[in-house]
Amino acid sequence: MAICTKSPKEAAAYLKNGQLVAIPTETVYGLAADATNTEAVAQIFAAKNRPAFDPLIVHLAGAEQMEKYAEYIPDAALKLAEAAWPGPLTIVLNKSKLIPDLVTSGHQTVGLRVPNHPLTLALLREISFPVAAPSANPFGFVSPTSAAHVQAQLGEKIPCILDGGNSQVGIESTIVDFSNNQRKVLRLGGMSLEQLQDVLGEQLSVQTSSSNPNAPGMLTAHYNPGKKIVVGKNVAELAAKFSTSNVGILAFTTPVAGVNFANQRVLSPSGNLAEAAQNLFAHLRDFNTIQVDVVLAEWVPNHGLGRAINDRLKRAAAKPNF
Ligand code: TXA
Ligand code: MG
C-alpha cells in the first residue's frame, strides 16, 4: 500500500529522493517523477507498464518556466498559456536540452502543462524541478479521478499518493501542438475546442484518432474498463436489442426502464456536460465490478466538453490494439 498524505511537503520529499508520487490534478491523477532524473522517470514506465514510445507530459509550477524547458515559443502558444494556465491544457513545443529524451520518447518536442490543483501547485513550488506525469493508471486503462482509484491499481508499486480529493474536470487535458510551426489539436480534453478557438481567434484542426507512433499515445483502444462496450445514439433503443439481464447501462441523462438500476450509471441527470465529464471515468470503472457481459453507452451532444467525452467513449469501445 502507498501512504496517502495531504501534505505537499511530505510528497515533495519522495520526489526529491527520486521516487514516484501520485498527484491530484483538476483533470485526472498523475504519476509523477522528477522530469530531469532519468532513473526516476524510468520507474514511471515500469509502474504503468507503459511502452517507451509514449511520451510524458511535463508539469510546471507556472507559465514563467516555459522558456526554460521549451525552445521557440510562438506568440500564439504564449497567449494560450496565459489564458488557460493553470488549467486543463497541454502545449507541445520544441524541447530544451534540460528535458531528457526518455521523457519525450526520443521526440524533440515536449508537452508542458501547469495543472490547476492547490496541493499540486504547492508541491511544484516545494521542488526545484518540473515533474513528468502521465495519468496514474496501468497503461490502456481508465484514468483515475480519486486517490482511491490510484491506490486500487498502483498502490503496490508506488510509495506515496498526495490525496487532493476528486478531480474536478474529470477528463485529461486538451493537447495542442505548436512545435515546428504547426497548430493542431492532438487530444480533445478539459479545455473545449470552442474555448481554444476563442482565445486564438482561429479555427484549429483536430487530429486525434490515429495509432501512428508519430502522434504518440493517441491509440484507438484506450480507457479499457475490462468489459465490452457498445455506444449508440440512444441507449434505450440500444438496450432493446440486448437481453436486459446481462447489460450495464451508461446513460447520459436517463436510466433505461426494465434494466436493473444497480447495473446502470447516469452521467448527468440534468444534461450538464461538465458534470458528465466529472463522472465519466469513475462510472466506467464501476463496470469492472458489476456482473454484466456488455456495457451499453450513448453519445453525448457533440459540442464543448461533449467532444472529449465522445472521444473517450469511442476509445473505450474500440478493440484493444496494444
Ligand atoms: O490531464 C492530463 O494531461 C494528465 C494529467 C496527469 O496531467 N496527464 C495525462 O498524461 O493524461 P498521459 O500520459 O496519460 O497522456 C498524455 C498524452 C499521451 O497520449 C502522449 O502521447 C501525449 O500526451 N504526449 C505527451 N508528450 C507529447 C509530445 N511531445 N508530442 C505529442 N504527444 C505527446
Ligand atoms: Mg493516460
Side-chain angles (χ1 to χ4, degrees):
M1 287 268 283
I3 69 126
C4 250
T5 178
K6 291 185 175 10
S7 157
K9 249 201 172 104
E10 192 178 353
Y14 287 91
L15 291 172
K16 289 177 191 168
N17 199 26
Q19 292 175 286
L20 303 183
V21 175
I23 55 168
T25 86
E26 80 284 27
T27 59
V28 301
Y29 274 67
L31 184 58
D34 175 351
T36 63
N37 175 341
T38 49
E39 277 171 34
V41 172
Q43 292 176 44
I44 295 178
F45 287 93
K48 275 191 62 122
N49 207 7
R50 181 175 175 114
F53 64 76
D54 198 3
L56 308 178
I57 292 172
V58 171
H59 297 68
L60 310 175
E64 69 287 349
Q65 295 185 346
M66 259 174 126
E67 282 186 352
K68 197 165 165 191
Y69 300 104
E71 312 255 327
Y72 318 116
I73 305 169
D75 287 347
L78 206 56
K79 191 171 168 190
L80 202 52
E82 276 162 6
W85 286 350
L89 173 76
T90 294
I91 298 180
V92 174
L93 294 164
N94 291 87
K95 80 177 188 73
S96 82
K97 290 196 186 69
L98 294 175
I99 302 290
D101 287 342
L102 183 62
V103 169
T104 65
S105 302
H107 292 266
Q108 289 312 303
T109 59
V110 62
L112 298 177
R113 158 164 138 78
V114 180
N116 190 14
H117 190 290
L119 291 190
T120 289
L121 285 172
L123 171 71
L124 288 166
R125 288 192 287 260
E126 280 287 327
I127 54 186
S128 56
F129 46 82
V131 299
S135 52
N137 51 279
F139 181 69
F141 202 82
V142 180
S143 300
T145 52
S146 72
H149 293 163
V150 181
Q151 187 70 274
Q153 290 193 298
L154 293 177
E156 300 301 323
K157 296 187 170 171
I158 62 174
C160 176
I161 301 171
L162 181 59
D163 184 353
N166 291 340
S167 297
Q168 292 302 300
V169 174
I171 46 177
E172 302 88 346
S173 60
T174 298
I175 305 180
V176 186
D177 189 353
F178 282 99
S179 66
N180 306 311
N181 293 319
Q182 318 173 67
R183 275 175 204 210
K184 62 181 185 218
V185 178
L186 296 184
R187 178 172 73 183
L188 293 163
M191 182 170 186
S192 73
L193 189 60
E194 290 86 344
Q195 285 173 310
L196 272 176
Q197 293 180 157
D198 264 6
V199 174
L200 292 177
E202 65 180 86
Q203 299 289 109
L204 287 171
S205 71
V206 181
Q207 292 179 20
T208 59
S209 60
S210 147
S211 358
N212 171 357
N214 287 328
M218 301 301 144
L219 299 171
T220 310
H222 221 79
Y223 308 103
N224 190 327
K227 286 273 153 73
K228 181 178 166 60
I229 297 192
V230 179
V231 194
K233 235 175 151 171
N234 177 306
V235 77
E237 282 170 20
L238 198 56
K241 297 182 188 148
F242 287 78
S243 146
T244 51
S245 60
N246 65 358
V247 299
I249 301 286
L250 182 62
F252 178 37
T253 60
T254 317
V256 176
V259 175
N260 183 352
F261 281 146
N263 296 346
Q264 303 203 49
R265 294 291 180 275
V266 174
L267 289 174
S268 169
S270 65
N272 177 322
L273 290 169
E275 183 184 34
Q278 234 172 44
N279 288 328
L280 178 67
F281 289 154
H283 284 357
L284 269 177
R285 195 173 277 263
D286 281 347
F287 289 111
N288 238 343
T289 51
I290 295 176
Q291 298 303 313
V292 291
D293 294 332
V294 57
V295 177
L296 308 178
E298 67 190 340
W299 304 116
V300 302
N302 204 40
H303 57 77
L305 287 178
R307 287 182 219 267
I309 296 172
N310 287 336
D311 170 83
R312 301 306 185 272
L313 287 173
K314 188 168 102 194
R315 288 173 205 270
K319 282 206 187 76
N321 63 357
F322 52 87

